Amino acid sequence: MFDFYKKNERFAFQGKILVKKMIILSKSLPNIKVLFSGLISHNKTYNNLFYFRLGRDALISGLSALGLIKNDTIIVPAYICNSVVQKLTYCGFKVVFVDVDSSLAIQLESIKKIATQGHVKALLIIHYFGFIKDLTEICNYCQKFNIKIIEDYSHSFLSQPLLKSEYPRGDMELFSMRKSLPIVDGGAIRFNTDRFTPINIADEISSGFINDTKYLLLRFIEKYVAIFGLNIYGGGFYKPSLNSYEVGCDLKSYKPSWQLHRYLNNDKYLDEIKHRIDRNFSSIVIKIESMGYTLFVKYLPIGTIPQAIVIIDNEGGLKNFLRANGVGAWSWPDGDIPAGVSGNVDMYPISNFMNSKLVLLPIHQNIKEEHIQYMLDKLSQWLYKDRR
């Protein structure tokens, strides 16, 4: 670590002089060429999905289709965003938290302990940050006791196995494609069982002209604000929400927005963004580890497309430092962790640890070599700052 630090010391010490201040967005920008070109592939891979405005809308509709009713109990990982828990409880489901382990997996023994105490009807498994978990043991157990398994690929749309399955799957797969693609909608579900009630599909699309236009306009403004060097990640900068949907229990499926339709039906675009993300991960991860940072995942299994590079910040403060310097790093679920989890650290120690210590570094398809060098420079500065 020391050799690497010495090699980059002049960049760490003189970063403000040698490296132009950049604003690196946390999310990818809309691709105007893809949206408005004539190229479209009519990809049949996504024909058997049911589409919704948001992933949590898809979750509620899917649970109902699988036969769950009000007051049924669902096991969810404690490492989860409150917006999902709030939606579940608003629609009448009982939520029971279970802590994750150090690999962000739920242990089978934890599931057994809860399942034997009550009438559990479903289990929600989250595949975090693009990294897919092997659910063989959990699937075998839950099938015996008729517990429905919901696989949440909200972070992992680009990694999830839509084309082929080499391991047991849950009863339903849940997506939130706006976390991987530059869109305002993108909730979707796919069933891996024939035992579900048909879902009513509305004639309208999931995001209309007004929302689509508003989204493109705000992202356009965001792009040029960043180009002119205004730090949208500074504490005093107001960033409007791109979603204005009300809380409810709408079970209808919708047609995907025209933006989502264009992206999903452009194989070249999807392959290109996977390649760029994989390249960005490989370009950064070895250098970060050489600096002395602790990484949550160092090597990518074949087919894995990560949502971000995940750094374990044991000392604290790294995310705020990066954001103060224009890097759109983030934590998840951050302030949106359920109060029942954050208020019970003794019961859910690992979930609270991960929420406070994991820092996610953007590596999306708009990240270029100069952005990578800038982030490495700032990461080096952070270490140098600690040494002084």
Side-chain angles (χ1 to χ4, degrees), residues 11 13-20 325 377-378 381:
F11 294 102
F13 184 72
Q14 298 178 336
K16 292 183 179 180
I17 298 175
L18 297 180
V19 180
K20 180 182 177 182
N325 282 278
D377 175 72
K378 294 306 170 186
Q381 282 189 38

Side-chain angles (χ1 to χ4, degrees), residues 127-328:
H127 297 285
Y128 297 97
F129 312 134
F131 308 113
I132 309 302
K133 298 295 183 184
D134 184 352
L135 304 182
T136 302
E137 288 187 341
I138 291 177
C139 284
N140 291 338
Y141 174 81
C142 289
Q143 286 174 0
K144 293 179 181 178
F145 295 93
N146 197 29
I147 299 174
K148 306 297 184 184
I149 295 180
I150 315 302
E151 293 191 69
D152 187 344
Y153 289 100
S154 294
H155 299 172
S156 307
F157 165 68
L158 296 175
S159 291
Q160 53 77 32
L162 270 176
L163 295 178
K164 51 187 176 181
S165 176
E166 299 176 352
Y167 66 96
R169 283 179 166 177
D171 298 274
M172 187 180 86
E173 296 171 359
L174 170 69
F175 308 106
S176 182
M177 297 171 190
R178 67 191 181 94
K179 293 180 174 63
S180 301
L181 302 175
I183 50 176
V184 69
D185 60 331
I189 53 176
R190 182 178 70 170
F191 294 101
N192 293 320
T193 175
D194 295 329
R195 300 176 62 182
F196 69 92
T197 303
I199 295 177
N200 179 31
I201 302 177
D203 289 333
E204 57 189 299
I205 58 178
S206 59
S207 179
F209 176 79
I210 294 177
N211 275 333
D212 281 349
T213 303
K214 175 184 175 183
Y215 176 79
L216 290 177
L217 178 61
L218 287 175
R219 297 307 311 277
F220 179 83
I221 293 173
E222 183 181 9
K223 173 183 177 180
Y224 283 94
V225 165
I227 288 176
F228 286 112
L230 295 178
N231 188 3
I232 64 174
Y233 302 110
F237 196 95
Y238 171 69
K239 187 177 180 181
S241 172
L242 297 176
N243 296 296
S244 58
Y245 304 117
E246 297 179 358
V247 175
C249 299
D250 186 2
L251 302 180
K252 296 191 298 294
S253 174
Y254 296 84
K255 298 177 181 178
S257 68
W258 72 270
Q259 293 183 50
L260 177 57
H261 178 75
R262 297 293 298 187
Y263 289 134
L264 292 184
N265 285 283
N266 193 310
D267 290 334
K268 182 179 178 181
Y269 170 75
L270 293 177
D271 289 341
E272 185 176 272
I273 64 175
K274 289 179 182 180
H275 172 74
R276 288 185 178 181
I277 293 170
D278 180 76
R279 179 198 63 192
N280 289 338
F281 182 94
S282 300
S283 297
I284 299 174
V285 70
I286 296 177
K287 297 175 183 177
I288 291 179
E289 187 180 19
S290 298
M291 290 181 185
Y293 285 97
T294 303
L295 297 170
F296 183 70
V297 172
K298 302 177 184 178
Y299 309 104
L300 294 180
I302 296 175
T304 297
I305 308 298
Q307 184 190 30
I309 288 178
V310 185
I311 300 173
I312 302 176
D313 178 25
N314 289 302
E315 300 301 322
L318 176 61
K319 182 192 73 173
N320 291 338
F321 172 80
L322 291 172
R323 292 176 73 87
N325 282 278
V327 179

Side-chain angles (χ1 to χ4, degrees), residues 78-79 98-105 107 110 296 332-333 337 341 344-358:
Y79 190 52
V98 60
D99 204 10
V100 295
D101 64 16
S102 59
S103 69
L104 293 182
Q107 291 294 314
S110 299
F296 183 70
W332 186 92
I337 193 169
V341 176
N344 291 282
V345 177
D346 291 341
M347 291 183 64
Y348 314 110
I350 301 179
S351 294
N352 279 284
F353 175 87
M354 296 298 185
N355 187 50
S356 63
K357 300 300 182 183
L358 295 189

